[in-house]
């Protein structure tokens, strides 16, 4: 059988390593794998569809998958997932002690369709009593000026965004021009120890553990997208890719939990990994629809509320029909 040739682009993940290097094969597929920074992968796939299979920001994916006649489809494969209560950075002089103090304040994020900010804005709006119109929103590059929105938006009533092209969020946070920034990566001013900049929630780890125990939501930042014509022309491709990604992840977790050798240069990592495995119900990093249903449903709601998704859809609407069908022998 002639093998289908696909191009795949992601950043460098250990849980994709064995698939990328060929130690794990997707049945019937030969791949050319491009390992690039995730911002470059997002931009080039979003604007030009430069490869067949791509890592993609979950928020940007939601805009594109909910367009009429969308030309992409998802796979329930998670590239990156992180809790984000650590992502609130505030200027001490603004007097912000709780998230409720952000009402009437200027709060920045690198893009509106920025997955980390989507989760935290959604939490503010739905759980913390700070509605989207209560905040003056600002968009600018995190640590350098010039970042722009990559997808179209349909902002909800009462929500306005000020776009700042000539300054970064880090600069504006340090100077007090904004009161808070919600950023996935710590801003330069914080890393350099600016005396006026601190985390709103320095005890974020305990908050995040409690949040997961209560909601079973483990925020997904990036997932895998596939050009739709690939699946239309070759319906078998979706599950074969999922199988390869799953096996690659299984091997990665096996390495991480191995207590016999130092596979990664970090003390007690296998011990911590076993603790996390137990906390997450036996799967350290679950793929698939059902294992992630609360997280998918939350993101679909939040992106719709925030004018990023064009319609409110169900998790099954994101993926090829039957891609996760159970096979029992």
């Amino acid at each position: 059988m002639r093998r289908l040739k696909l191009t795949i682009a992601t950043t460098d993940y250990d849980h994709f390593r064995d698939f990328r290097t060929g130690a794990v094969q997707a049945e019937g597929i030969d791949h050319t794998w491009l390992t690039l920074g995730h911002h470059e992968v997002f931009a080039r796939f979003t604007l030009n569809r430069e490869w067949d299979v791509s890592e993609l920001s979950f928020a940007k994916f939601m805009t594109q998958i909910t367009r009429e006649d969308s030309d992409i489809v998802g796979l329930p494969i998670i590239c990156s997932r992180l809790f984000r209560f650590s992502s609130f950075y505030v200027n001490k002089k603004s007097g912000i002690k709780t998230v409720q103090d952000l009402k009437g304040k200027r709060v920045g994020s690198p893009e509106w369709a920025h997955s980390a900010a989507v989760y935290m804005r959604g939490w503010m709006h739905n759980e913390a009593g700070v509605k989207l119109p209560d905040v003056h929103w600002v968009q600018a590059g995190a640590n350098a000026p010039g970042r722009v929105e990559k997808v179209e938006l349909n902002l909800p009533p009462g929500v306005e965004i000020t776009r700042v092209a000539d300054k970064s969020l880090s600069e504006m946070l340090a100077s007090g021009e904004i009161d808070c920034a919600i950023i996935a990566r710590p801003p330069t001013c914080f890393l350099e120890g600016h005396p006026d900049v601190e985390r709103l929630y320095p005890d974020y780890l305990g908050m995040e553990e409690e949040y997961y125990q209560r909601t079973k939501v483990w925020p997904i930042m990036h997932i895998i997208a596939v050009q739709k014509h690939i699946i239309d022309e070759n319906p078998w491709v979706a599950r074969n890719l999922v199988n390869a990604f799953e096996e690659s992840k299984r091997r990665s977790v096996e390495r991480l939990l191995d207590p016999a050798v130092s596979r990664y240069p970090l003390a007690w990592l296998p011990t911590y990994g076993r603790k996390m495995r137990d906390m997450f119900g036996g799967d350290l990093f679950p793929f698939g629809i059902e294992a992630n249903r609360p997280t998918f449903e939350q993101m679909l709601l939040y992106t719709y509320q925030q004018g990023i998704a064009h319609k409110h859809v169900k998790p099954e609407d994101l993926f090829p029909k039957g891609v996760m069908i159970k096979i029992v022998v």
Side-chain angles (χ1 to χ4, degrees), residues 215-231:
T215 66
K216 300 307 178 188
V217 170
W218 184 2
I220 296 168
M221 300 294 116
H222 312 160
I223 68 168
I224 292 291
V226 184
Q227 292 204 43
K228 189 172 179 291
H229 73 89
I230 299 289
I231 306 301

Side-chain angles (χ1 to χ4, degrees), residues 49-328:
R49 299 288 190 258
E50 292 186 29
W51 25 78
D52 302 310
V53 181
S54 184
E55 178 179 1
L56 193 56
S57 153
F58 199 0
K60 293 176 179 59
F61 171 82
M62 286 307 303
T63 297
Q64 297 170 67
I65 193 70
T66 57
R67 291 170 180 162
E68 292 297 325
D69 300 317
S70 174
D71 64 342
I72 64 171
V73 66
L75 295 180
I77 300 299
I78 288 81
C79 310
S80 182
R81 63 190 316 160
L82 294 148
F83 294 96
R84 291 302 191 187
F85 286 107
S86 64
S87 297
F88 288 90
Y89 299 89
V90 298
N91 187 297
K92 295 179 184 179
K93 294 180 178 178
S94 297
I96 299 165
K97 300 300 181 184
T98 72
V99 71
Q100 287 75 27
D101 295 330
L102 293 179
K103 288 184 178 181
K105 301 295 188 181
R106 290 171 58 85
V107 179
S109 63
E111 295 178 45
W112 188 256
H114 174 60
S115 298
V118 169
Y119 278 106
M120 290 296 89
R121 288 194 305 259
W123 171 73
M124 291 165 62
H125 180 81
N126 291 280
E127 296 190 46
V130 183
K131 300 301 182 183
L132 294 171
D134 292 342
V135 172
H136 303 295
W137 300 103
V138 176
Q139 182 269 319
N143 292 304
R147 185 163 170 177
V148 297
E149 203 77 47
K150 306 296 191 304
V151 293
E152 69 277 9
L153 303 173
N154 182 25
L155 294 176
V159 173
E160 295 184 359
I161 303 174
T162 300
R163 312 270 181 197
V164 178
D166 60 348
K167 295 180 182 178
S168 71
L169 295 176
S170 180
E171 291 177 76
M172 291 188 284
L173 185 62
S175 68
E177 292 175 76
I178 61 174
D179 304 288
C180 173
I182 306 174
I183 313 180
R185 182 174 282 114
T188 301
C189 60
F190 177 81
L191 293 176
E192 293 178 347
H194 193 287
D196 293 334
V197 177
E198 64 183 357
R199 277 196 167 103
L200 178 57
Y201 295 116
D203 58 345
Y204 59 87
L205 182 56
M207 290 182 65
E208 292 168 352
E209 289 181 351
E210 184 280 329
Y211 180 78
Y212 175 75
Q213 296 293 343
R214 178 169 54 84
T215 66
K216 300 307 178 188
V217 170
W218 184 2
I220 296 168
M221 300 294 116
H222 312 160
I223 68 168
I224 292 291
V226 184
Q227 292 204 43
K228 189 172 179 291
H229 73 89
I230 299 289
I231 306 301
D232 290 342
E233 295 161 9
N234 310 276
W236 53 271
V237 162
R239 183 54 180 263
N240 287 14
L241 286 172
V242 167
N243 289 347
F245 277 113
E246 285 272 18
E247 175 59 15
S248 186
K249 184 202 79 171
R250 187 196 67 78
R251 294 181 180 208
S252 174
V253 171
E254 185 177 71
R255 289 191 294 270
L256 188 150
L257 296 180
D258 184 357
V261 293
S262 297
R263 294 188 183 275
Y264 304 97
L266 188 63
W268 303 296
L269 184 61
T271 301
Y272 179 79
R274 288 192 294 274
K275 177 184 175 183
M276 293 301 100
R277 177 194 59 194
D278 296 342
M279 179 181 295
F280 290 112
D283 192 340
L284 270 173
F285 206 84
F287 292 169
I289 299 172
E290 285 307 318
N292 292 291
R293 184 172 292 278
T295 305
F296 283 136
E297 289 179 344
Q298 188 190 79
M299 187 58 150
L300 304 191
L301 173 64
Y302 287 1
T303 52
Y304 178 66
Q305 288 177 332
Q306 295 175 32
I308 295 167
H310 297 284
K311 53 190 174 183
H312 190 191
V313 297
K314 303 188 298 293
E316 287 78 7
D317 297 327
L318 307 180
F319 311 115
K321 187 176 180 180
V323 70
M324 296 308 299
I325 188 170
K326 282 190 174 183
I327 300 169
V328 179

